[in-house]
Amino acid sequence: MSLNSAQIEAVAHHEGPCMVLAGPGSGKTLTIAKRIEYLIQKHKVRPEEILVITFTKHASNEMKKRFQAVMGEQLPVTFGTFHGIYYGILKWARGIGQHNLLTEEERYQLLRQILSESHLDGVLSEEEEKDYVKDLSTEIGRIKNDRLDIHTYESARFGTERFRTIYRDYEAAKKKWNKIDFEDMLLLCCQMFLQRPDILEKWQQKFRYILVDEFQDINQVQYDVARMLASPEDNLFVVGDDDQSIYGFRGARPGIMAQFKKDYPDARQVLLDVNYRSTSHIVNGALRVIGHNQNRFKKAVRSDRRPGETVHVQEVKDCVDEGTYVEEQIRKLNARGIPYSQIAVLYRTALDARALSERLMEYQIPFTMKEYMDNIYDHFIARDISSYFHLALKEYERRYFLQIANRPNRYIGRDSMSGEPVSYESLRRFYCDKDWMMNRIDQLEWDMKMMENKPPYLAIQYIRKSIGYDEFLKEYAAYRQIPGQELFQVLDEIQELSRGCETIGAWFARVEQYRTMLKEQRKKNADAGESVSLMTMHGSKGLEYDTVFIIQGNEGVVPYKKAKTKEEIEEERRLFYVAMTRAKRKLIISYVKEKNGKEANPSRFVNELFLTV
């Protein structure tokens, strides 16, 4: 493949700092490989003086393969991830080994242990604790990645003092175990270079030319260490696209690319302005959307391909209708010769793909999911609904009474349900001296009779409104300090998925069928062959397909409902841009008019497709 003029300019850069703005499909991997070749052959740079840093092992291996293909031989250029390179430096300087590294599971275990010693022990359910610990881990990582001071940091999610206490306990426990975590590898390397200029100088002499790929994904501590390594010659060659900066939760932010220009005011800047992947209709549509972001480098990018098909926007009634539409379109595309492996369906969160995945399983269209999708019927809310349904069908096992006796609170004690089976009569005998409890038990029995012959959708509505389950969830969320909106999203979806079931018995059959299909699908995932790819927009980064479907293109989904600030909205727009630019030939975006029984609107990003900035 011959290089265009912008690629040649980037390849021919010799010394000093340089930033290459490389959009989707612009040939950045080839450009980096050719630049390494140019340094070695034209400027006689020793291969062992060149360091190429990527963000994943897969990207590092791909870059190494591309370079070897260009050179036609293996040379001792160092390719690695930020963590891999910095771990190697720490291993050499401080003798840190694998036994010192805290695994992700150990990290979660440690945080759970700290929580168990606090007043939260026993308050959080298993699902809540899992999310709570994950969010804690993310926020701890952000402190380190951004080099923030824990003494002045204020946590909105966990409360300032509580978070600081957890953070200090976590750090103390790690020190006691003689362990370092994922972020420590970067932070300790940074601190060591600041404290030991002699060690820093050794590594500066070893790596005289540094190339960083996917520069838009860099966080503060990674950037700081890269700058230290590159000094004093400053042969720092960075390649990235601020429009694809989508990992804010990891500390990455597009502002670091702008900071590069301030730190190196004389740095060369090159724009790879040709997209070789997507048709011009897709490229131009994506540029119209991303153009609404203000915090970005302005870029004039063109497609090297013909206009092709226009970007298609499809309005559908609801999630079930959307699943049917996408499944039928996939079938038609495959019949026309498009392999399943060249088709991808992208979404904001795995929850958005549930109706579609159920449809694809039902109609036996092979697919793989990059991210694991939990079975919604394993959620405690689904178990509550299920227990109500069992009681409505006069199945009086003790576990069903225990599950819902106080959801909402009826003041029924566990000791009143010690026998097996439990019945309304046994409860009345236990509370025979309390008239007010007799009334509650009578009401529970009456509610179950009222539900017995209702279709599941209406039965769930009765549980929510007449029995008072919605009020219970609000109190539950407030007491446990968790977002009630997320619980209601689960409940809404369970109710929506019950449409089409005429009886409670049919609902139970559908739940079991879904559980079986999900197990089978996970087995197929392990042995993926010719199949459609289903993944989140984040998971699609760096991939490309002939045809891409973006589903749930609705306001509140993308941009995500939690995104409130201008910076958060702009990151959501970048995420949508990344999703759009995965498509080579055909891009279809769908949005629903109704979700969980409520009116839904198309995303502002969908509307921006038709607006010129």
Side-chain angles (χ1 to χ4, degrees):
M1 177 181 177
S2 60
L3 302 178
N4 62 40
S5 58
Q7 290 172 326
I8 291 172
E9 182 182 357
V11 166
H13 176 74
H14 181 203
E15 294 181 328
C18 177
M19 181 166 68
V20 178
L21 298 173
S26 60
K28 69 179 180 66
T29 304
L30 176 64
T31 301
I32 292 172
K34 295 292 286 184
R35 196 232 170 188
I36 302 170
E37 176 193 40
Y38 195 83
L39 286 174
I40 294 170
Q41 293 189 345
K42 174 71 175 177
H43 297 290
K44 308 304 178 186
V45 174
R46 291 165 51 223
E48 53 268 32
E49 292 181 327
I50 301 173
L51 170 63
V52 184
I53 308 177
T54 62
F55 279 81
T56 66
K57 288 183 180 179
H58 175 74
S60 179
N61 291 333
E62 289 299 308
M63 186 71 72
K64 188 174 183 178
K65 286 179 185 176
R66 178 62 71 93
F67 169 65
Q68 289 176 353
V70 167
M71 295 298 297
E73 60 178 322
Q74 291 190 15
L75 293 173
V77 173
T78 300
F79 294 85
T81 65
F82 275 104
H83 287 88
I85 297 298
Y86 296 174
Y87 167 69
I89 293 172
L90 286 173
K91 186 177 180 181
W92 173 86
R94 295 179 51 175
I96 288 174
Q98 287 290 330
H99 63 283
N100 297 116
L101 302 184
L102 193 74
T103 66
E104 186 176 29
E105 180 51 43
E106 287 174 334
R107 178 172 175 141
Y108 287 173
Q109 179 186 343
L110 182 54
L111 289 172
R112 283 193 293 267
Q113 181 181 323
I114 292 170
L115 288 177
S116 72
E117 296 168 357
S118 73
H119 60 81
L120 268 179
D121 186 29
V123 174
L124 297 175
S125 68
E126 186 177 340
E127 293 92 348
E128 293 160 356
E129 184 189 67
K130 182 179 177 182
D131 290 341
Y132 197 90
V133 169
K134 184 178 179 182
D135 289 347
L136 261 178
S137 178
T138 299
E139 194 152 343
I140 288 171
R142 186 177 299 128
I143 297 289
K144 299 181 179 186
N145 288 332
D146 288 346
R147 296 183 68 189
L148 301 177
D149 184 353
I150 188 62
H151 299 95
T152 57
Y153 179 78
E154 296 183 0
S155 173
R157 170 72 170 88
F158 302 100
T160 299
E161 288 307 317
R162 172 165 181 73
F163 179 76
R164 288 177 186 172
T165 299
I166 292 172
Y167 184 91
R168 292 187 186 108
D169 290 345
Y170 170 73
E171 289 299 301
K174 276 200 297 103
K175 189 174 182 180
K176 182 179 178 181
W177 289 7
N178 194 27
K179 295 276 189 176
I180 64 172
D181 62 25
F182 198 61
E183 292 82 16
D184 287 336
M185 281 189 267
L186 308 176
L187 200 57
L188 289 175
C189 196
C190 183
Q191 292 169 351
M192 182 180 67
F193 282 167
L194 290 171
Q195 296 164 3
R196 294 287 305 273
D198 56 322
I199 293 177
L200 173 59
E201 185 179 1
K202 174 181 174 58
W203 289 95
Q204 287 171 336
Q205 291 171 353
K206 177 174 175 58
F207 296 128
R208 293 183 53 239
Y209 291 83
I210 299 174
L211 296 84
V212 181
D213 188 22
E214 300 288 3
F215 186 62
Q216 76 280 347
D217 293 336
I218 203 168
N219 62 43
Q220 192 63 51
V221 69
Q222 290 167 340
Y223 178 56
D224 291 344
V225 176
R227 286 196 68 207
M228 282 190 268
L229 275 176
S231 181
E233 295 181 83
D234 292 337
N235 294 325
L236 185 57
F237 184 91
V238 301
V239 182
D241 180 11
D242 57 316
D243 289 335
Q244 296 186 77
S245 179
I246 60 173
Y247 296 119
F249 58 91
R250 296 180 190 167
R253 47 192 175 83
I256 291 181
M257 293 190 73
Q259 184 64 39
F260 183 89
K261 290 292 291 178
K262 293 177 182 177
D263 292 332
Y264 302 103
D266 297 327
R268 174 177 290 179
Q269 181 173 309
V270 181
L271 169 65
L272 302 188
D273 58 353
V274 180
N275 182 314
Y276 293 98
R277 174 190 299 158
S278 307
T279 63
S280 60
H281 275 312
I282 293 172
V283 170
N284 293 336
L287 288 174
R288 280 195 295 274
V289 173
I290 200 63
H292 285 79
N293 272 4
Q294 295 177 3
N295 182 25
R296 64 185 291 265
F297 289 95
K298 302 297 182 185
K299 309 176 189 72
V301 179
R302 59 186 174 84
S303 171
D304 187 54
R305 302 183 59 188
R306 293 179 179 178
E309 299 182 38
T310 57
V311 177
H312 181 73
V313 177
Q314 182 69 34
E315 177 184 291
V316 292
K317 179 187 174 186
D318 54 27
C319 299
V320 174
D321 193 25
E322 184 177 56
T324 301
Y325 170 75
V326 174
E327 176 268 320
E328 289 175 349
Q329 292 301 310
I330 289 173
R331 198 178 292 281
K332 289 177 182 176
L333 287 163
N334 188 246
R336 293 175 193 155
I338 306 299
Y340 285 135
S341 60
Q342 278 298 309
I343 301 172
V345 182
L346 310 182
Y347 35 83
R348 180 61 180 83
T349 69
L351 196 66
D352 303 322
R354 204 177 304 277
L356 172 63
S357 63
E358 193 169 339
R359 174 82 182 189
L360 296 181
M361 283 188 281
E362 185 179 353
Y363 284 81
Q364 298 184 336
I365 290 183
F367 71 93
T368 54
M369 296 191 76
K370 190 171 182 179
E371 297 88 5
Y372 179 79
M373 183 172 69
D374 292 330
N375 185 346
I376 194 170
Y377 298 113
D378 289 336
H379 197 281
F380 82 86
I381 292 176
R383 294 199 300 270
D384 289 350
I385 299 297
S386 176
S387 293
Y388 270 116
F389 281 0
H390 279 295
L391 292 176
L393 296 181
K394 298 183 172 63
E395 297 173 16
Y396 298 145
E397 290 184 34
R398 179 172 178 265
R399 56 181 170 146
Y400 302 141
F401 277 100
L402 285 172
Q403 183 76 26
I404 57 86
N406 292 300
R407 298 188 171 198
N409 195 4
R410 300 179 177 90
Y411 301 96
I412 300 176
R414 291 182 69 90
D415 52 351
S416 70
M417 299 175 282
S418 56
E420 181 75 67
V422 177
S423 69
Y424 302 111
E425 285 308 313
S426 69
L427 292 173
R428 289 189 184 99
R429 285 194 298 271
F430 189 88
Y431 290 108
C432 61
D433 59 337
K434 295 181 175 66
D435 289 343
W436 62 279
M437 283 300 296
M438 299 289 276
N439 290 336
R440 291 174 184 274
I441 294 165
D442 288 346
Q443 184 63 50
L444 176 59
E445 184 177 18
W446 173 255
D447 285 334
M448 296 305 99
K449 286 179 180 178
M450 290 295 292
M451 286 168 50
E452 184 178 1
N453 295 314
K454 290 181 183 294
Y457 185 89
L458 294 180
I460 294 173
Q461 189 71 3
Y462 186 87
I463 293 169
R464 297 182 66 167
K465 304 303 180 185
S466 299
I467 293 178
Y469 192 79
D470 276 7
E471 284 304 311
F472 157 73
L473 271 192
K474 289 177 186 176
E475 294 170 3
Y476 183 92
Y479 178 64
R480 287 156 179 78
Q481 296 182 322
I482 56 177
Q485 190 179 23
E486 294 180 8
L487 296 180
F488 279 101
Q489 186 176 353
V490 172
L491 180 54
D492 286 342
E493 184 166 3
I494 291 169
Q495 183 174 8
E496 194 65 25
L497 289 171
S498 71
R499 287 187 187 273
C501 296
E502 296 183 1
T503 66
I504 290 175
W507 184 84
F508 279 121
R510 182 170 184 173
V511 169
E512 282 308 306
Q513 181 188 29
Y514 181 74
R515 194 182 303 279
T516 300
M517 288 193 300
L518 199 59
K519 286 180 181 178
E520 291 175 354
Q521 181 57 41
R522 287 170 186 165
K523 290 178 184 176
K524 291 176 183 176
N525 256 12
D527 185 28
E530 182 67 22
S531 57
V532 177
S533 295
L534 270 62
M535 68 189 78
T536 63
M537 295 177 183
H538 281 102
S540 72
K541 180 91 178 298
L543 304 176
E544 60 180 40
Y545 299 89
D546 174 89
T547 301
V548 169
F549 293 86
I550 298 176
I551 62 172
Q552 299 283 299
N554 287 85
E555 196 71 12
V557 177
V558 56
Y560 196 50
K561 56 182 177 291
K562 289 184 180 180
K564 303 296 183 184
T565 67
K566 174 189 171 185
E567 290 75 17
E568 290 169 339
I569 295 295
E570 291 210 345
E571 177 153 329
E572 291 289 308
R573 188 178 281 108
R574 293 193 295 269
L575 186 58
F576 196 75
Y577 174 77
V578 166
M580 291 181 69
T581 53
R582 301 310 95 197
K584 294 192 286 187
R585 185 185 62 87
K586 191 177 184 69
L587 175 61
I588 301 171
I589 303 170
S590 58
Y591 65 88
V592 300
K593 287 293 291 178
E594 180 183 303
K595 190 167 186 180
N596 300 325
K598 301 168 187 172
E599 183 180 353
N601 297 312
S603 167
R604 69 189 75 179
F605 304 153
V606 173
N607 293 329
E608 288 167 1
L609 263 170
F610 309 102
L611 300 174
T612 303
V613 182

